[in-house]
Amino acid sequence: MKAYRDLAPSPRIIMTPGPVEVDPRVLRAMSYPVLGQFDPEFTGLMNETMEMLRGVFQTANKWAYPVDGTSRSGIEAVLVSLIEPGDSVLVPIYGRFGYLLAEIARRCGAQVIVMEREWGGVFPQEEIIEGIMRHRPKLVALVHGETSTGRLQPLEGIGRACREQDVLLVVDAVATIGGVEVAVDAWEVDAVIGGTQKCLSIPAGLAPVTYNSRVETILLKRKRIERGLLMEDAEDIKGFVAIRSNYLDLSQLQDYWGPARLNHHTEATTMLYALREGLRLTLEEGLVNRFARHALHESALVAGLLGMGLELFGDPSCKMPMVTCVRIPPGVDGESVRTMLLEHFGLEIASSFGPLKGRIWRIGTMGYSCSKRNVLLALGALEAALLRHGVSLPPGEALQAAMDVYAIGSG
Amino acid sequence: MKAYRDLAPSPRIIMTPGPVEVDPRVLRAMSYPVLGQFDPEFTGLMNETMEMLRGVFQTANKWAYPVDGTSRSGIEAVLVSLIEPGDSVLVPIYGRFGYLLAEIARRCGAQVIVMEREWGGVFPQEEIIEGIMRHRPKLVALVHGETSTGRLQPLEGIGRACREQDVLLVVDAVATIGGVEVAVDAWEVDAVIGGTQKCLSIPAGLAPVTYNSRVETILLKRKRIERGLLMEDAEDIKGFVAIRSNYLDLSQLQDYWGPARLNHHTEATTMLYALREGLRLTLEEGLVNRFARHALHESALVAGLLGMGLELFGDPSCKMPMVTCVRIPPGVDGESVRTMLLEHFGLEIASSFGPLKGRIWRIGTMGYSCSKRNVLLALGALEAALLRHGVSLPPGEALQAAMDVYAIGSG
């Protein structure tokens, strides 16, 4: 047989909007032997993880657990579990991931109403609230942090408006959880999906979700138990009407995560170890400190980029602290610069999607990757790569500007 | 904040039908730093993993890659991507996981026709073929190894019959891949789903699938590209009709795994490292050797169980080599025995589902857990626990019988 070599990934500085570098403590946790899924030690770890997720989501919700898949599996789990074919769903879209919400809702059979905003801005909250009043949908689905454009949608007033109109609010906080305030209860958000491979700095593969009793009420109405688990043939297998997915059915997942411990899938043991350790690191740092860290390194990065004469993309009043979108200088091949950075500096920044493809780079400062060291190394590398691509810029200014933000003295 | 302690899972001998123990080489692979999803080093690892999967599935199929979720996510991905609402699907059921196939198909909108067999046996192939001729479904979905009953369904002739009738054959080989022959091409199976946390001994969290061009043809007809990825608004977002799931849409997944590298989810980096290493171990051992190892340790386990006077459950002519179902002796509380084994011997065996609950234990000999050491330790522990529960049995016989199978001499 063909011989495959030992795994030996090169070291990388990952300054993208995810996946980002993983704390060595999380990597270490992943090297522990596995436990059986119903081993009381393992269910104990599951319970602890739920508790920690409540802390990170700033919620008293009973339900906070991961769906076993990457972030969009959590989004689809929430939408497919709530949406019955024909339900109306309002999706305000201001970037790629808004389109994704609309697409998933449509695949769930929803009548989707979209509101669109040019990429680079967000919606004034009143405009969304007006949309809610006008359309009275069953559900509003909204992206909190849109990594495709680097914009952050304010949410504070939208939850209240939804509650008043008896509309459900579902928020995609995949890119923001752990990096900026996501106050699930204070903002009256009904269901939220977080991401692991971004500001929580855990490998991709789980999608933490939380939801309140308004959501649970709907789930319980739609709930079905798998026939192969029943002692009796009580259920009429022919009359089955239920949530359109089995794998992403939150009504079954909560029976697996709750005291019933009803077998559904086999929990992804090692990913759960990673999630637990990543949440533990987040709570040890403290949410307030963690948000401040993200804001600080963003400031230094932005100062450096402006210092080298680059222009940022998008409305600065709604910029995400953990994603900085930079216009590619005219005449420069953005992919060539990215390749130079990866091949020679072992440093990755991101390209972009759809209408922004080839026009901007996206630089992430997320989680474990969000550090002084990384910001300084990235600025130095980018300056050098741009000079090599013939860009005219004031050499040395970028790093001096960033070092000023960090107040790095000379002696 | 509440202090959570360091992760410190206890050592376990895991003799269940999964999740089972993981080879330390796989655990070590999971502790490596992550790479970005479009880093050429990472896409290189993705391509290698596809190649290795073809080897393990014994197929020349172009498509062989993991779905990012636990095993049933792969099953649902295949079914939801193939089934259009109203399609007829035939599901021969001989245990819990057959019901699961029927349920998933039903949630996909299929008209499901079931054939049922009492738990403990399988179908004569002619009976399934007769069902195919009679019902002429679009698709037959079938479990290869049913861990709920420990039975193995012969498949050799069914693929041929499906091909002749222009019916698709989808096989759930979650429990069998890597432990017993799963000859995808030779058996003319159109789509197969494998499991990681069983005979491949990788943590749960990925679901390897493979499918042929008959399946791909259907996928390409149903394919849609996400609007947020398009440069132009070419697609009429209002006229969207497509596969009912986005996350589990194989037509999008193959564009992510193929040369187009179209962004879908963010591949679960660390799980992919684990899958690659687990497949590498499997191919290094060699499929033939690996199947022989599973058969050998099954023989020793069975000899030991019979030696202590226990009865096996189910038709012996179709027993799975990697799962042995044992009747719980009359008057014994099966859960009490399991708890004693876990708490005092650090050894886990499995309970059972539905009509078999409380009647049998299921003992797994899968992958890294399938070893002489584990079989001998398990027999000794079980004998002691049964004696402690007042069961009358011939002490010492179990291990002597197993040691005879291994031809362990005294000097």
Side-chain angles (χ1 to χ4, degrees):
Chain A
M1 137 217 161
K2 175 173 165 184
Y4 293 94
R5 61 185 179 77
D6 273 351
L7 184 68
S10 298
R12 293 284 192 245
I13 291 172
I14 311 185
M15 304 291 280
T16 67
V20 301
E21 297 165 48
V22 173
D23 191 298
R25 258 179 59 184
V26 173
L27 296 175
R28 187 182 62 181
M30 300 187 84
S31 69
Y32 277 102
V34 303
L35 292 165
Q37 65 174 326
F38 294 117
D39 190 319
E41 267 193 38
F42 189 69
T43 52
L45 295 174
M46 289 170 75
N47 288 341
E48 274 186 0
T49 304
M50 292 177 75
E51 202 173 279
M52 293 189 211
L53 276 175
R54 284 185 205 105
V56 170
F57 279 124
Q58 302 182 55
T59 184
N61 282 344
K62 178 177 172 189
W63 297 115
Y65 56 82
V67 174
D68 279 19
T70 64
S71 309
R72 66 172 67 191
S73 74
I75 296 173
E76 187 163 323
V78 168
L79 294 181
V80 79
S81 297
L82 286 176
I83 295 170
E84 295 184 54
D87 281 345
S88 69
V89 170
L90 177 66
V91 186
I93 297 175
Y94 59 102
R96 174 188 173 197
F97 293 98
Y99 283 110
L100 179 63
L101 292 179
E103 183 191 317
I104 294 174
R106 222 169 256 119
R107 292 196 187 208
C108 295
Q111 293 296 322
V112 175
I113 307 144
V114 299
M115 301 168 61
E116 294 192 60
R117 197 90 193 159
E118 201 183 346
W119 289 29
V122 297
F123 292 87
Q125 294 197 64
E126 315 77 67
E127 208 174 296
I128 294 179
I129 294 170
E130 205 183 285
I132 293 167
M133 308 289 266
R134 188 165 57 246
H135 299 293
R136 301 288 296 271
K138 170 173 176 173
L139 187 154
V140 176
L142 193 52
V143 174
H144 185 213
E146 179 60 79
T147 52
S148 65
T149 64
R151 297 307 107 182
L152 190 70
Q153 172 66 51
L155 296 173
E156 293 83 342
I158 297 172
R160 164 53 46 98
C162 284
R163 204 66 58 103
E164 281 166 2
Q165 301 298 318
D166 200 23
V167 168
L168 291 167
L169 177 59
V170 174
V171 168
D172 164 357
V174 167
T176 51
I177 192 76
V180 74
E181 185 94 319
V182 181
V184 174
D185 288 1
W187 297 348
E188 299 178 272
V189 185
D190 296 298
V192 180
I193 304 95
T196 55
Q197 78 277 14
K198 298 179 187 278
C199 298
L200 294 178
S201 279
I202 298 160
L206 292 180
V209 300
T210 187
Y211 51 85
N212 61 21
S213 59
R214 300 175 82 210
V215 169
E216 190 182 8
T217 304
I218 297 177
L219 298 180
L220 292 178
K221 280 190 195 140
R222 305 186 72 191
K223 179 173 153 180
R224 295 291 181 282
I225 294 176
E226 287 175 23
R227 189 163 183 244
L229 289 177
L230 298 173
M231 290 290 287
E232 311 292 332
D233 293 349
E235 190 171 25
D236 177 16
I237 198 167
K238 291 180 191 74
F240 204 94
V241 283
I243 291 166
R244 275 187 175 185
S245 173
N246 172 291
Y247 188 66
L248 301 173
D249 175 349
L250 296 179
S251 77
Q252 290 193 76
L253 284 169
Q254 69 179 34
D255 272 351
Y256 178 63
W257 282 88
R261 290 278 172 228
L262 213 53
N263 187 238
H264 179 252
H265 62 287
T266 298
E267 183 55 18
T269 316
T270 305
M271 285 304 304
L272 197 272
Y273 288 175
L275 177 59
R276 179 182 177 279
E277 193 67 14
L279 294 172
R280 195 170 157 239
L281 280 160
T282 302
L283 294 171
E284 279 175 11
E285 179 174 9
L287 293 180
V288 171
N289 295 339
R290 198 173 176 94
F291 302 158
R293 173 163 63 84
H294 281 83
L296 170 66
H297 298 304
E298 178 207 22
S299 306
L301 176 68
V302 167
L305 294 169
L306 297 177
M308 80 177 89
L310 294 173
E311 279 176 36
L312 301 191
F313 165 82
D315 177 354
S317 73
C318 54
K319 183 183 175 305
M320 286 172 83
M322 62 287 281
V323 183
T324 299
C325 296
V326 193
R327 290 188 191 278
I328 297 170
V332 171
D333 175 353
E335 286 309 284
S336 170
V337 172
R338 290 208 318 123
T339 301
M340 186 177 280
L341 289 173
L342 189 70
E343 282 184 4
H344 301 285
F345 297 81
L347 187 146
E348 189 183 7
I349 65 171
S351 59
S352 49
F353 301 115
L356 296 177
K357 200 164 178 159
R359 292 177 49 208
I360 66 167
W361 293 302
R362 296 174 306 137
I363 304 180
T365 40
M366 291 180 158
Y368 191 70
S369 284
C370 178
S371 67
K372 187 198 290 179
R373 169 185 180 270
N374 276 8
V375 167
L376 296 176
L377 293 172
L379 287 169
L382 182 60
E383 177 187 298
L386 290 178
L387 286 171
R388 234 357 149 190
H389 279 78
V391 175
S392 158
L393 58 78
E397 293 293 331
L399 276 169
Q400 293 304 315
M403 289 167 86
D404 284 347
V405 171
Y406 290 128
I408 298 176
S410 61
Chain B
M1 143 218 157
K2 177 175 166 184
Y4 292 95
R5 62 185 178 76
D6 273 348
L7 185 68
S10 298
R12 293 285 191 244
I13 292 172
I14 310 185
M15 304 291 279
T16 67
V20 301
E21 296 164 48
V22 174
D23 191 298
R25 258 179 58 185
V26 172
L27 296 175
R28 187 182 61 181
M30 300 187 84
S31 69
Y32 277 102
V34 303
L35 292 165
Q37 65 175 326
F38 294 117
D39 189 320
E41 267 195 37
F42 189 68
T43 53
L45 294 173
M46 290 169 75
N47 288 341
E48 274 186 1
T49 304
M50 292 176 75
E51 200 173 280
M52 294 190 211
L53 276 175
R54 285 185 204 105
V56 169
F57 278 124
Q58 302 182 56
T59 183
N61 283 343
K62 178 176 172 191
W63 297 115
Y65 56 82
V67 173
D68 279 21
T70 65
S71 308
R72 65 172 67 191
S73 74
I75 296 173
E76 186 163 323
V78 169
L79 293 181
V80 78
S81 297
L82 286 176
I83 295 170
E84 295 185 54
D87 281 344
S88 70
V89 171
L90 178 67
V91 186
I93 297 174
Y94 60 100
R96 174 188 172 195
F97 293 99
Y99 283 110
L100 179 63
L101 292 179
E103 184 190 316
I104 294 174
R106 222 170 255 120
R107 292 194 187 209
C108 296
Q111 292 297 322
V112 175
I113 308 145
V114 299
M115 301 168 60
E116 294 190 60
R117 197 91 193 160
E118 202 185 346
W119 289 29
V122 297
F123 292 87
Q125 294 197 65
E126 315 77 67
E127 209 173 294
I128 294 178
I129 293 169
E130 205 183 284
I132 293 166
M133 309 289 268
R134 188 164 56 246
H135 300 293
R136 300 288 296 270
K138 170 174 177 174
L139 187 154
V140 177
L142 193 52
V143 174
H144 185 212
E146 178 59 81
T147 52
S148 66
T149 64
R151 297 308 107 181
L152 189 70
Q153 173 65 53
L155 297 173
E156 294 82 342
I158 297 172
R160 164 52 48 96
C162 284
R163 203 66 58 102
E164 281 167 2
Q165 301 298 317
D166 199 24
V167 168
L168 291 167
L169 177 60
V170 174
V171 168
D172 164 357
V174 167
T176 50
I177 191 76
V180 74
E181 185 94 319
V182 181
V184 174
D185 288 1
W187 296 349
E188 300 179 272
V189 186
D190 296 297
V192 180
I193 305 95
T196 55
Q197 77 278 13
K198 299 181 187 278
C199 298
L200 294 178
S201 278
I202 298 161
L206 292 180
V209 300
T210 187
Y211 52 83
N212 61 20
S213 59
R214 301 175 80 210
V215 169
E216 191 182 7
T217 303
I218 298 177
L219 298 180
L220 292 178
K221 280 190 195 143
R222 306 187 71 192
K223 179 172 153 181
R224 296 290 182 282
I225 294 175
E226 288 175 29
R227 190 163 183 244
L229 288 177
L230 298 173
M231 290 290 288
E232 312 291 331
D233 292 349
E235 190 171 27
D236 177 16
I237 197 167
K238 291 182 191 70
F240 205 96
V241 284
I243 291 166
R244 275 188 175 183
S245 173
N246 171 292
Y247 188 66
L248 301 173
D249 174 349
L250 296 179
S251 77
Q252 290 193 76
L253 284 170
Q254 69 180 34
D255 272 351
Y256 177 63
W257 282 88
R261 291 278 173 229
L262 213 53
N263 186 239
H264 179 252
H265 61 289
T266 299
E267 183 54 18
T269 316
T270 304
M271 285 304 304
L272 197 274
Y273 288 175
L275 177 60
R276 179 183 178 278
E277 192 67 13
L279 294 171
R280 195 171 157 237
L281 279 160
T282 302
L283 294 171
E284 280 175 11
E285 179 174 9
L287 292 180
V288 171
N289 295 338
R290 198 172 176 94
F291 303 157
R293 172 163 63 85
H294 280 84
L296 170 67
H297 298 305
E298 178 206 22
S299 307
L301 176 68
V302 167
L305 294 169
L306 298 177
M308 80 176 89
L310 294 173
E311 280 175 37
L312 301 190
F313 164 82
D315 177 353
S317 72
C318 54
K319 183 184 175 305
M320 288 172 81
M322 62 288 280
V323 183
T324 299
C325 296
V326 194
R327 291 188 190 277
I328 297 170
V332 171
D333 175 352
E335 286 309 284
S336 170
V337 171
R338 290 209 318 125
T339 301
M340 185 177 279
L341 289 173
L342 189 70
E343 282 184 4
H344 302 285
F345 298 81
L347 186 146
E348 189 182 7
I349 64 172
S351 60
S352 49
F353 302 115
L356 296 176
K357 200 164 178 157
R359 291 176 49 207
I360 65 167
W361 293 302
R362 297 174 304 138
I363 304 180
T365 40
M366 291 180 158
Y368 191 70
S369 284
C370 179
S371 67
K372 188 198 289 181
R373 168 184 181 273
N374 277 8
V375 167
L376 296 176
L377 293 172
L379 287 169
L382 181 61
E383 177 186 298
L386 290 178
L387 287 171
R388 232 1 148 190
H389 279 79
V391 175
S392 159
L393 59 77
E397 293 293 332
L399 276 169
Q400 293 306 314
M403 289 167 85
D404 283 347
V405 172
Y406 290 128
I408 298 175
S410 62

